[in-house]
PDB file of all heavy atoms in Angstrom:
ATOM      1  N   SER U   1      -2.215  -9.726  -8.873  1.00 93.00           N
ATOM      2  CA  SER U   1      -0.914 -10.304  -8.521  1.00 93.00           C
ATOM      3  C   SER U   1       0.192  -9.266  -8.632  1.00 93.00           C
ATOM      4  O   SER U   1       1.064  -9.173  -7.751  1.00 93.00           O
ATOM      5  CB  SER U   1      -0.603 -11.502  -9.421  1.00 93.00           C
ATOM      6  OG  SER U   1      -1.532 -12.541  -9.223  1.00 93.00           O
ATOM      7  N   ASN U   2       0.168  -8.472  -9.696  1.00 93.00           N
ATOM      8  CA  ASN U   2       1.179  -7.424  -9.870  1.00 93.00           C
ATOM      9  C   ASN U   2       1.100  -6.395  -8.738  1.00 93.00           C
ATOM     10  O   ASN U   2       2.127  -5.977  -8.181  1.00 93.00           O
ATOM     11  CB  ASN U   2       0.988  -6.724 -11.217  1.00 93.00           C
ATOM     12  CG  ASN U   2       1.320  -7.631 -12.393  1.00 93.00           C
ATOM     13  OD1 ASN U   2       2.052  -8.613 -12.242  1.00 93.00           O
ATOM     14  ND2 ASN U   2       0.780  -7.308 -13.562  1.00 93.00           N
ATOM     15  N   TYR U   3      -0.109  -5.993  -8.403  1.00 93.00           N
ATOM     16  CA  TYR U   3      -0.319  -5.011  -7.334  1.00 93.00           C
ATOM     17  C   TYR U   3       0.158  -5.562  -5.986  1.00 93.00           C
ATOM     18  O   TYR U   3       0.865  -4.867  -5.230  1.00 93.00           O
ATOM     19  CB  TYR U   3      -1.799  -4.652  -7.278  1.00 93.00           C
ATOM     20  CG  TYR U   3      -2.190  -3.757  -6.127  1.00 93.00           C
ATOM     21  CD1 TYR U   3      -1.828  -2.410  -6.109  1.00 93.00           C
ATOM     22  CD2 TYR U   3      -2.942  -4.257  -5.067  1.00 93.00           C
ATOM     23  CE1 TYR U   3      -2.204  -1.587  -5.049  1.00 93.00           C
ATOM     24  CE2 TYR U   3      -3.316  -3.441  -4.016  1.00 93.00           C
ATOM     25  CZ  TYR U   3      -2.944  -2.116  -4.005  1.00 93.00           C
ATOM     26  OH  TYR U   3      -3.316  -1.298  -2.960  1.00 93.00           O
ATOM     27  N   THR U   4      -0.204  -6.805  -5.703  1.00 92.00           N
ATOM     28  CA  THR U   4       0.170  -7.429  -4.436  1.00 92.00           C
ATOM     29  C   THR U   4       1.681  -7.569  -4.319  1.00 92.00           C
ATOM     30  O   THR U   4       2.260  -7.331  -3.245  1.00 92.00           O
ATOM     31  CB  THR U   4      -0.495  -8.806  -4.300  1.00 92.00           C
ATOM     32  OG1 THR U   4      -1.920  -8.671  -4.403  1.00 92.00           O
ATOM     33  CG2 THR U   4      -0.160  -9.448  -2.956  1.00 92.00           C
ATOM     34  N   ARG U   5       2.339  -7.948  -5.407  1.00 92.00           N
ATOM     35  CA  ARG U   5       3.795  -8.103  -5.382  1.00 92.00           C
ATOM     36  C   ARG U   5       4.489  -6.769  -5.103  1.00 92.00           C
ATOM     37  O   ARG U   5       5.481  -6.712  -4.360  1.00 92.00           O
ATOM     38  CB  ARG U   5       4.294  -8.684  -6.699  1.00 92.00           C
ATOM     39  CG  ARG U   5       4.134 -10.188  -6.818  1.00 92.00           C
ATOM     40  CD  ARG U   5       5.015 -10.749  -7.924  1.00 92.00           C
ATOM     41  NE  ARG U   5       4.705 -10.158  -9.219  1.00 92.00           N
ATOM     42  CZ  ARG U   5       3.816 -10.654 -10.068  1.00 92.00           C
ATOM     43  NH1 ARG U   5       3.134 -11.749  -9.737  1.00 92.00           N
ATOM     44  NH2 ARG U   5       3.596 -10.079 -11.234  1.00 92.00           N
ATOM     45  N   GLN U   6       3.989  -5.694  -5.678  1.00 90.00           N
ATOM     46  CA  GLN U   6       4.592  -4.381  -5.442  1.00 90.00           C
ATOM     47  C   GLN U   6       4.426  -3.950  -3.979  1.00 90.00           C
ATOM     48  O   GLN U   6       5.348  -3.390  -3.385  1.00 90.00           O
ATOM     49  CB  GLN U   6       3.962  -3.347  -6.370  1.00 90.00           C
ATOM     50  CG  GLN U   6       4.327  -3.534  -7.839  1.00 90.00           C
ATOM     51  CD  GLN U   6       3.775  -2.413  -8.704  1.00 90.00           C
ATOM     52  OE1 GLN U   6       4.171  -1.260  -8.566  1.00 90.00           O
ATOM     53  NE2 GLN U   6       2.840  -2.752  -9.575  1.00 90.00           N
ATOM     54  N   LEU U   7       3.250  -4.209  -3.405  1.00 89.00           N
ATOM     55  CA  LEU U   7       3.044  -3.883  -1.997  1.00 89.00           C
ATOM     56  C   LEU U   7       4.010  -4.666  -1.113  1.00 89.00           C
ATOM     57  O   LEU U   7       4.603  -4.125  -0.172  1.00 89.00           O
ATOM     58  CB  LEU U   7       1.603  -4.184  -1.581  1.00 89.00           C
ATOM     59  CG  LEU U   7       0.494  -3.301  -2.153  1.00 89.00           C
ATOM     60  CD1 LEU U   7      -0.855  -3.728  -1.593  1.00 89.00           C
ATOM     61  CD2 LEU U   7       0.742  -1.832  -1.847  1.00 89.00           C
ATOM     62  N   GLN U   8       4.162  -5.961  -1.403  1.00 89.00           N
ATOM     63  CA  GLN U   8       5.068  -6.797  -0.614  1.00 89.00           C
ATOM     64  C   GLN U   8       6.510  -6.327  -0.760  1.00 89.00           C
ATOM     65  O   GLN U   8       7.265  -6.321   0.219  1.00 89.00           O
ATOM     66  CB  GLN U   8       4.924  -8.255  -1.039  1.00 89.00           C
ATOM     67  CG  GLN U   8       3.587  -8.880  -0.669  1.00 89.00           C
ATOM     68  CD  GLN U   8       3.402 -10.275  -1.239  1.00 89.00           C
ATOM     69  OE1 GLN U   8       4.139 -10.707  -2.132  1.00 89.00           O
ATOM     70  NE2 GLN U   8       2.419 -11.005  -0.727  1.00 89.00           N
ATOM     71  N   ARG U   9       6.891  -5.943  -1.956  1.00 88.00           N
ATOM     72  CA  ARG U   9       8.269  -5.491  -2.191  1.00 88.00           C
ATOM     73  C   ARG U   9       8.566  -4.213  -1.419  1.00 88.00           C
ATOM     74  O   ARG U   9       9.664  -4.026  -0.898  1.00 88.00           O
ATOM     75  CB  ARG U   9       8.480  -5.255  -3.685  1.00 88.00           C
ATOM     76  CG  ARG U   9       9.880  -4.801  -4.065  1.00 88.00           C
ATOM     77  CD  ARG U   9      10.068  -4.798  -5.566  1.00 88.00           C
ATOM     78  NE  ARG U   9       9.069  -3.975  -6.246  1.00 88.00           N
ATOM     79  CZ  ARG U   9       9.184  -2.665  -6.411  1.00 88.00           C
ATOM     80  NH1 ARG U   9      10.252  -2.026  -5.941  1.00 88.00           N
ATOM     81  NH2 ARG U   9       8.256  -1.983  -7.058  1.00 88.00           N
ATOM     82  N   LEU U  10       7.572  -3.333  -1.310  1.00 84.00           N
ATOM     83  CA  LEU U  10       7.756  -2.064  -0.613  1.00 84.00           C
ATOM     84  C   LEU U  10       7.452  -2.164   0.880  1.00 84.00           C
ATOM     85  O   LEU U  10       7.738  -1.226   1.627  1.00 84.00           O
ATOM     86  CB  LEU U  10       6.859  -0.988  -1.244  1.00 84.00           C
ATOM     87  CG  LEU U  10       7.193  -0.611  -2.686  1.00 84.00           C
ATOM     88  CD1 LEU U  10       6.103   0.279  -3.269  1.00 84.00           C
ATOM     89  CD2 LEU U  10       8.549   0.095  -2.755  1.00 84.00           C
ATOM     90  N   GLY U  11       6.858  -3.276   1.303  1.00 82.00           N
ATOM     91  CA  GLY U  11       6.515  -3.442   2.712  1.00 82.00           C
ATOM     92  C   GLY U  11       5.322  -2.625   3.147  1.00 82.00           C
ATOM     93  O   GLY U  11       5.214  -2.234   4.318  1.00 82.00           O
ATOM     94  N   ILE U  12       4.404  -2.359   2.216  1.00 83.00           N
ATOM     95  CA  ILE U  12       3.209  -1.548   2.497  1.00 83.00           C
ATOM     96  C   ILE U  12       1.973  -2.438   2.501  1.00 83.00           C
ATOM     97  O   ILE U  12       1.869  -3.369   1.701  1.00 83.00           O
ATOM     98  CB  ILE U  12       3.048  -0.427   1.440  1.00 83.00           C
ATOM     99  CG1 ILE U  12       4.261   0.488   1.449  1.00 83.00           C
ATOM    100  CG2 ILE U  12       1.780   0.386   1.686  1.00 83.00           C
ATOM    101  CD1 ILE U  12       4.239   1.520   0.353  1.00 83.00           C
ATOM    102  N   GLN U  13       1.029  -2.133   3.386  1.00 84.00           N
ATOM    103  CA  GLN U  13      -0.231  -2.864   3.437  1.00 84.00           C
ATOM    104  C   GLN U  13      -1.315  -2.097   2.685  1.00 84.00           C
ATOM    105  O   GLN U  13      -1.345  -0.863   2.720  1.00 84.00           O
ATOM    106  CB  GLN U  13      -0.663  -3.088   4.892  1.00 84.00           C
ATOM    107  CG  GLN U  13       0.331  -3.905   5.704  1.00 84.00           C
ATOM    108  CD  GLN U  13      -0.054  -3.989   7.164  1.00 84.00           C
ATOM    109  OE1 GLN U  13      -1.002  -3.349   7.612  1.00 84.00           O
ATOM    110  NE2 GLN U  13       0.690  -4.770   7.918  1.00 84.00           N
ATOM    111  N   ASP U  14      -2.192  -2.822   2.029  1.00 88.00           N
ATOM    112  CA  ASP U  14      -3.238  -2.176   1.227  1.00 88.00           C
ATOM    113  C   ASP U  14      -4.121  -1.230   2.035  1.00 88.00           C
ATOM    114  O   ASP U  14      -4.434  -0.133   1.567  1.00 88.00           O
ATOM    115  CB  ASP U  14      -4.098  -3.236   0.538  1.00 88.00           C
ATOM    116  CG  ASP U  14      -5.246  -2.610  -0.232  1.00 88.00           C
ATOM    117  OD1 ASP U  14      -5.003  -2.064  -1.326  1.00 88.00           O
ATOM    118  OD2 ASP U  14      -6.391  -2.646   0.275  1.00 88.00           O
ATOM    119  N   PRO U  15      -4.568  -1.605   3.259  1.00 85.00           N
ATOM    120  CA  PRO U  15      -5.411  -0.668   4.010  1.00 85.00           C
ATOM    121  C   PRO U  15      -4.739   0.678   4.262  1.00 85.00           C
ATOM    122  O   PRO U  15      -5.406   1.709   4.343  1.00 85.00           O
ATOM    123  CB  PRO U  15      -5.669  -1.413   5.330  1.00 85.00           C
ATOM    124  CG  PRO U  15      -5.523  -2.857   4.975  1.00 85.00           C
ATOM    125  CD  PRO U  15      -4.431  -2.892   3.955  1.00 85.00           C
ATOM    126  N   VAL U  16      -3.409   0.686   4.398  1.00 84.00           N
ATOM    127  CA  VAL U  16      -2.684   1.940   4.621  1.00 84.00           C
ATOM    128  C   VAL U  16      -2.684   2.782   3.347  1.00 84.00           C
ATOM    129  O   VAL U  16      -2.894   3.995   3.374  1.00 84.00           O
ATOM    130  CB  VAL U  16      -1.235   1.646   5.073  1.00 84.00           C
ATOM    131  CG1 VAL U  16      -0.448   2.952   5.216  1.00 84.00           C
ATOM    132  CG2 VAL U  16      -1.242   0.895   6.393  1.00 84.00           C
ATOM    133  N   LEU U  17      -2.461   2.118   2.212  1.00 83.00           N
ATOM    134  CA  LEU U  17      -2.396   2.832   0.941  1.00 83.00           C
ATOM    135  C   LEU U  17      -3.739   3.464   0.584  1.00 83.00           C
ATOM    136  O   LEU U  17      -3.799   4.472  -0.116  1.00 83.00           O
ATOM    137  CB  LEU U  17      -1.959   1.872  -0.168  1.00 83.00           C
ATOM    138  CG  LEU U  17      -1.662   2.486  -1.531  1.00 83.00           C
ATOM    139  CD1 LEU U  17      -0.458   3.418  -1.441  1.00 83.00           C
ATOM    140  CD2 LEU U  17      -1.424   1.402  -2.573  1.00 83.00           C
ATOM    141  N   SER U  18      -4.831   2.884   1.059  1.00 83.00           N
ATOM    142  CA  SER U  18      -6.163   3.391   0.708  1.00 83.00           C
ATOM    143  C   SER U  18      -6.515   4.672   1.452  1.00 83.00           C
ATOM    144  O   SER U  18      -7.489   5.346   1.116  1.00 83.00           O
ATOM    145  CB  SER U  18      -7.224   2.326   1.020  1.00 83.00           C
ATOM    146  OG  SER U  18      -7.293   2.077   2.417  1.00 83.00           O
ATOM    147  N   LYS U  19      -5.716   5.036   2.469  1.00 82.00           N
ATOM    148  CA  LYS U  19      -6.031   6.219   3.269  1.00 82.00           C
ATOM    149  C   LYS U  19      -5.412   7.476   2.659  1.00 82.00           C
ATOM    150  O   LYS U  19      -4.432   7.407   1.934  1.00 82.00           O
ATOM    151  CB  LYS U  19      -5.506   6.040   4.700  1.00 82.00           C
ATOM    152  CG  LYS U  19      -6.126   4.868   5.441  1.00 82.00           C
ATOM    153  CD  LYS U  19      -5.448   4.651   6.782  1.00 82.00           C
ATOM    154  CE  LYS U  19      -6.027   3.427   7.494  1.00 82.00           C
ATOM    155  NZ  LYS U  19      -5.320   3.144   8.761  1.00 82.00           N
ATOM    156  N   GLU U  20      -6.001   8.617   3.008  1.00 81.00           N
ATOM    157  CA  GLU U  20      -5.440   9.892   2.599  1.00 81.00           C
ATOM    158  C   GLU U  20      -4.147  10.157   3.375  1.00 81.00           C
ATOM    159  O   GLU U  20      -3.985   9.679   4.501  1.00 81.00           O
ATOM    160  CB  GLU U  20      -6.441  11.030   2.866  1.00 81.00           C
ATOM    161  CG  GLU U  20      -7.714  10.945   2.037  1.00 81.00           C
ATOM    162  CD  GLU U  20      -7.441  11.131   0.547  1.00 81.00           C
ATOM    163  OE1 GLU U  20      -6.465  11.842   0.204  1.00 81.00           O
ATOM    164  OE2 GLU U  20      -8.213  10.574  -0.261  1.00 81.00           O
ATOM    165  N   SER U  21      -3.274  10.927   2.778  1.00 79.00           N
ATOM    166  CA  SER U  21      -1.971  11.193   3.409  1.00 79.00           C
ATOM    167  C   SER U  21      -2.136  11.853   4.779  1.00 79.00           C
ATOM    168  O   SER U  21      -1.382  11.568   5.718  1.00 79.00           O
ATOM    169  CB  SER U  21      -1.120  12.075   2.501  1.00 79.00           C
ATOM    170  OG  SER U  21      -0.883  11.440   1.275  1.00 79.00           O
ATOM    171  N   SER U  22      -3.126  12.746   4.904  1.00 83.00           N
ATOM    172  CA  SER U  22      -3.352  13.424   6.197  1.00 83.00           C
ATOM    173  C   SER U  22      -3.768  12.415   7.265  1.00 83.00           C
ATOM    174  O   SER U  22      -3.344  12.516   8.423  1.00 83.00           O
ATOM    175  CB  SER U  22      -4.415  14.497   6.054  1.00 83.00           C
ATOM    176  OG  SER U  22      -5.640  13.947   5.558  1.00 83.00           O
ATOM    177  N   ASP U  23      -4.608  11.430   6.881  1.00 87.00           N
ATOM    178  CA  ASP U  23      -5.021  10.396   7.829  1.00 87.00           C
ATOM    179  C   ASP U  23      -3.846   9.516   8.225  1.00 87.00           C
ATOM    180  O   ASP U  23      -3.710   9.108   9.385  1.00 87.00           O
ATOM    181  CB  ASP U  23      -6.133   9.536   7.224  1.00 87.00           C
ATOM    182  CG  ASP U  23      -7.430  10.303   7.042  1.00 87.00           C
ATOM    183  OD1 ASP U  23      -7.645  11.266   7.810  1.00 87.00           O
ATOM    184  OD2 ASP U  23      -8.218   9.939   6.152  1.00 87.00           O
ATOM    185  N   VAL U  24      -2.999   9.191   7.234  1.00 85.00           N
ATOM    186  CA  VAL U  24      -1.820   8.376   7.521  1.00 85.00           C
ATOM    187  C   VAL U  24      -0.909   9.110   8.497  1.00 85.00           C
ATOM    188  O   VAL U  24      -0.380   8.521   9.449  1.00 85.00           O
ATOM    189  CB  VAL U  24      -1.061   8.031   6.224  1.00 85.00           C
ATOM    190  CG1 VAL U  24       0.244   7.293   6.546  1.00 85.00           C
ATOM    191  CG2 VAL U  24      -1.931   7.174   5.321  1.00 85.00           C
ATOM    192  N   MET U  25      -0.712  10.412   8.283  1.00 88.00           N
ATOM    193  CA  MET U  25       0.124  11.206   9.182  1.00 88.00           C
ATOM    194  C   MET U  25      -0.454  11.227  10.592  1.00 88.00           C
ATOM    195  O   MET U  25       0.263  11.032  11.586  1.00 88.00           O
ATOM    196  CB  MET U  25       0.249  12.634   8.641  1.00 88.00           C
ATOM    197  CG  MET U  25       0.988  13.591   9.575  1.00 88.00           C
ATOM    198  SD  MET U  25       2.714  13.135   9.836  1.00 88.00           S
ATOM    199  CE  MET U  25       3.424  13.755   8.293  1.00 88.00           C
TER     200      MET U  25
END
């Protein structure tokens, strides 16, 4: 719940966060 709330507050989706920065770029 804490993790999900932080993602929602920042507007980030979990699948995006799981990727490496180079892949995200």
